[in-house]
Amino acid sequence: MAEYKRSIVQAPAAPAARTLIRGATVLSMDGDIGNLERGDILIEGSTITAIGENLEAGDAMVIEASGMIAMPGMVDTHRHSWEGQLRRINPNAETLEDYCNATHFSFAKYYQPG
């Protein structure tokens, strides 16, 4: 299997009091905020406090997210989304190994981002 860069999804050792996710394509799922082609998300503690363009965050830890999609409030949604197309192809795999052989080691190797 390929090695994946996981630093973007792993929490820092000591979480910052304020975090700014900068420059992502923001899919807000909120009619009042809308979607932003290039937007920022400000998080204070574990609460999203602002979503918008060019937010000022002072001493916040900044995560540069240009070229990425951010969905505020959604956590780690990418894990199995690619498998939606494979629904019902292997519903009765008896073991995890059978399932992985039928998906991850066959179909999955042909999937590429973007």
Side-chain angles (χ1 to χ4, degrees):
M1 296 284 274
E3 290 294 319
Y4 295 100
K5 187 174 182 179
R6 298 219 177 263
S7 60
I8 192 76
V9 296
Q10 293 176 344
R18 300 176 71 206
T19 302
L20 180 68
I21 300 173
R22 182 179 302 285
T25 297
V26 177
L27 304 179
S28 75
M29 313 299 271
D30 182 317
D32 293 335
I33 295 171
N35 298 326
L36 303 171
E37 186 173 337
R38 184 171 167 80
D40 304 335
I41 303 166
L42 180 61
I43 305 163
E44 296 187 22
S46 61
T47 302
I48 296 171
T49 57
I51 299 172
E53 296 177 347
N54 303 311
L55 296 178
E56 290 299 321
D59 62 347
M61 177 183 76
V62 176
I63 297 173
E64 180 55 48
S66 296
M68 297 182 188
I69 297 172
M71 296 175 69
M74 301 292 281
V75 178
D76 214 2
T77 61
H78 75 278
R79 290 286 185 216
H80 297 280
S81 61
W82 68 274
E83 292 175 286
Q85 299 173 57
L86 306 179
R87 194 172 304 156
R88 296 187 188 91
I89 286 179
N90 191 25
N92 299 317
E94 291 186 20
T95 66
L96 179 59
E97 182 179 12
D98 290 342
Y99 171 79
C100 288
N101 285 333
T103 57
H104 294 272
F105 304 126
S106 61
F107 296 108
K109 63 187 177 184
Y110 297 103
Y111 280 69
Q112 298 293 320

